[in-house]
Structure formats: structure tokens, C-alpha cells
Amino acid sequence: MTQHADVVVVGGGQAGLAAGYHLRRQGLDFMILDADTAPGGAWQHMWESLHLFSPAEHSSLPGRLMPAQPGETYPDAGHVVDYLTDYEKRYGLPVQHGTRVGAVRRDAGGLLVEADTGIWLAKAVISATGTWSRPFLPAVPGRSVFTGRQLHTVNYCSPADFAGQRVVVVGGGNSGAQIAADLALDGNAHVTWVTQRPPRFLPDDIDGRALFDVAAARRRALDAGRTDTGGLASLGDIVAVPPVRAARDAGLLTAKPMFSRLTASGVRWDDGSRAGADAIVWCTGFRPALSHLAPLNLRGPRGHIPTDGTRALGEARLHLLGYGDWTGPASATLIGVGRPARDAAREIAQLS
Ligand code: FAD
């Protein structure tokens, strides 16, 4: 039996919850379908030592400040899960956990949302599926030849899994720097950190608060037709969160350039030098999880769906929320997703 709603939100992480908050304020009838069996989105799967790069009061969804975590300036991932769990409950958001959406299709009456628990017909859909379920691994020669363990950021848990091992951490972004620091500070693994270009640490006094300000200023400049300031990339790539700073200052975070290939027992550089490895941790980023939207045929360059704000250019009843700056400045952050969620809900309320 097909169920009906004004709006179906696909994904119940922070972006889906922010959407729910604003859909409720618009008086719309909606359902949030979420593949995870528990609240918290990707935060429930992150590695043990991960902390936010902004203080709690700068990491809040609309309507409710994230409380401080006792003893921590930068809350850990467990604290974010608790906050999102409470947020879902406090606002009575209708989230159906353990429900995966396989496809969204056009139908005479609206958009048909095919989930593994049933079918929904909606006047509009907000896709908020994040990127965590689509880890990206680069095509590096020899990847199938290496006989050790290969894992991605999404599989990394703690240094205890690598005690006594030689580990190569690949990636010059925040995940790469934090995981390399986590392993190096623990001191029980031999770590080689590899980055495509020399690592660029942001100044120590810049954390997520400043990053959000830069993203917002960039958006204002672009909207006003002024020159692109380059956004966050103009400042650096790596937030010097306390463990990264500690490892860097102890001389434990010096990066080698990217190797040219994997061998059976490790990695090899162009100049013929080698490093043996028991494990490679690929901290090489993510792609948006959009396969459920394939039937709508909307994919543009780089696997993104072209949008105006959050609205898909090729399908006015579809909005995309979270994912990255392409769906709104800082929309893939806790503090940044509120505004695009509000705009999406307003636009949907105006659909007739
Ligand atoms: P997710 O949290 O991934 O939630 C998506 C939800 O959609 C999941 O629950 C998933 O089960 C569900 N889903 C996926 N596919 C389907 C489907 N087909 N059907 C139904 N449900 C589906 N941001 C900050 O503000 N501060 C930080 O300090 C910070 N640190 C970060 C550190 C790391 C390592 C990473 C990767 C990101 C960080 N971010 C940070 C960015 C961002 O806040 C998180 O990535 C956040 O999880 C994004 O939320 P989301 O709701 O868009 O996606």
C-alpha cells in the first residue's frame, strides 16, 4: 500500500533533522526515512578519539543549542550523537529508522519514494543522505597487489587496532591529519603520513567558527557579484585541533609526498624509495550518496546534481541538503545546515 506525505526526507542525520524542524514550522506533513537503526547519522560511526572542530555552542541545529560537554571545549562524537538523539525526541520528529530508500521516481501524483519498508508518494522530497556511505578511494597502481590491510576513514576505529604495525596514512585533509596524529601520539604504531601536496595547517587560532564565517562571507561576495575570495581553501586545509597541534609540535606530523604505487609489501615512490607497510589507511574523502536519485536522471559534473540553492535544477520538487558547499555555504556542518534547511522548507511550502 502506498503511503502519502507532503514531504519525504531521505536521511535522518543532522541535515534530515534540521529539515524536519523547518518543515514542521511550515505546517507541512512529512516523514523522515533513515537507513541507520539509531539516531545520530554518521556521528555514530566515527573513530573513538574524534572531537568537533568547534565548541558546542557553535555546533547547534536550529532551535536548540548544543549543551557543552563537561571537561571538553570541543565535544566528542558521542556527545553529538546524544544531542541529535535528544533533538529528534524533543521535537517529536517522525523518523523511521532502519529504512533504506532505494529509488525516487517521478509519478503523476508527485515523487514516488521506494523504501525497503514500503512506498511513499510525496509532493516533494528532501534528500539528506550525506557522504559517509560513499567513501572514495583513488585509483593508485598496485592497490590489488598489496597484501596488507587497506581501510578507509570510515573503517578506522582506534590505534589499538594497529599496535606494533607499520601504517601508511594517506590524505592531507582533516581526517588524514587527525588519524595520523591519533596513531602517532599513541606511539604503538610506526606511522608514515603521505599527502598529495605539502600539508597546509590553518593558523592555530582558527577553528570551525572562523571557517563558518569565511564560508558565509564567500557566499555573500558571490551573491553580490564580487570576486571569489576562495573560501576556506584560501586559508589552509587542516584545522589545528588540539591532538593535531600536539603531534605537529612534537615533530610527529611531517608528511611525505604521495607514493606512485603499492607493492605487495608496502609503497614505492617515483625515486625508487620504499616503505614497508602492514596497513594503509585511505583518508581520501567521500562522494555524495545519491544513487537513490539515479532514476531522476539529474546527475551533472563531478557526480553532483546541479541546484539553485537546495532545489534541483531539473526537478523542482527535489531539494538536496547537506553534502557540501554546493548545496549552500557550510551546509555539511552542524551550524551551517539550518539556513539551507529553512530555505528548502519555505520553497516547498510555496509549491502548489
Ligand atoms: P550523515 O550524518 O551522513 O547522515 C545521513 C543519514 O542518511 C544517515 O543516517 C544515513 O543512514 C542515511 N542514509 C544514507 N543513505 C540513505 C538511503 N538511501 N535511504 C535512507 N537513509 C539513508 N561538521 C561540523 O559541523 N563540525 C565538525 O567538527 C565536523 N567534523 C567532521 C569530521 C569528519 C571525519 C567528517 C567526515 C565530517 C565532519 N563534519 C563536521 C561534517 C558533517 O557535519 C558531518 O559529515 C555530518 O555527519 C553530515 O551530516 P548529514 O546529515 O549531511 O549526513
Side-chain angles (χ1 to χ4, degrees), residues 11 13-15 34-36 41-43 47 52-53 99 101 128-130 332-334:
Q14 65 198 38
D34 184 52
D36 269 287
W43 295 104
W47 63 93
L52 291 185
F53 51 60
T99 298
V101 171
T129 47
T333 64
L334 283 153

Side-chain angles (χ1 to χ4, degrees), residues 2-12 15-17 19-20 23 28-35 94-96 99-105 110-129 292-293 296 317-321 323 344-345 348 351:
T2 303
Q3 304 181 74
H4 293 77
D6 289 337
V7 188
V8 168
V9 180
V10 186
L17 298 185
L23 290 168
L28 292 162
D29 151 48
F30 64 96
M31 175 55 77
I32 303 174
L33 306 178
D34 184 52
V95 187
Q96 207 173 86
T99 298
R100 176 168 294 281
V101 171
V104 177
R105 301 178 195 281
L111 292 173
L112 213 50
V113 180
E114 296 174 3
D116 52 8
T117 53
I119 295 182
W120 289 78
L121 183 60
K123 292 181 192 144
V125 166
I126 297 180
S127 184
T129 47
H292 56 294
L293 302 176
L296 299 175
R317 296 166 295 185
L318 174 70
H319 287 254
L320 292 110
L321 194 59
Y323 301 113
I348 289 171
L351 282 174

